Each structure stands twice: as C-alpha cells, then as structure tokens.
Amino acid sequence: MKVMVSHKGEGYSLYIPKKDMEADVINIEGDAVFGGTWELEGGMKLFIEPLDAIPKLPLTMIAKKV
C-alpha cells in the first residue's frame, strides 16, 4: 500500500490515503537508518524497505502490512 511519511516533532507520522488515516509511529524495529518494521499508534505494523540514509520528507513510499 502507498503511504506518505512525514516528520512529526522528533518522530514520524504516516498518512495512508486508501484508509484516509493518519497515525504517529510509536516504535521502529530494524538496524537501518530509515525503514524496517514500524508500529503505528493503534497497533498496526507496516514494513518499509530499509534505506541507508534518511530521505527528504514528506515522501510517498510503498509499505507492506506485517
């Protein structure tokens, strides 16, 4: 699914257009600088392909439900 990642304070926020839902990221699992398994408020977990550098945000990316 497509998601839009943006900064929110010190963390990240995701907007999921298909569900018209915006949620804060509460936990990130993985060793990459950016990406991995992201847990959103409300319990949903998404996997974003890991990157070696933090991209310029906001950015639309592909995420998979875990």
Side-chain angles (χ1 to χ4, degrees):
M1 76 178 72
K2 289 188 179 186
V3 298
M4 187 168 78
V5 181
S6 60
H7 280 290
K8 185 164 187 180
E10 301 255 334
Y12 298 104
S13 176
L14 290 180
Y15 175 69
I16 305 170
K18 190 172 187 178
K19 297 183 179 244
D20 192 28
M21 178 181 102
E22 185 170 357
D24 292 336
V25 177
I26 59 171
N27 188 33
I28 299 174
E29 297 172 9
D31 297 333
V33 173
F34 185 88
T37 302
W38 293 23
E39 184 177 352
L40 308 179
E41 61 185 358
M44 180 185 280
K45 287 188 177 185
L46 299 174
F47 178 79
I48 295 178
E49 196 65 40
L51 301 174
D52 293 332
I54 298 174
K56 184 178 177 188
L57 299 176
L59 177 67
T60 299
M61 304 184 80
I62 301 294
K64 297 177 185 173
K65 264 187 168 176
V66 175

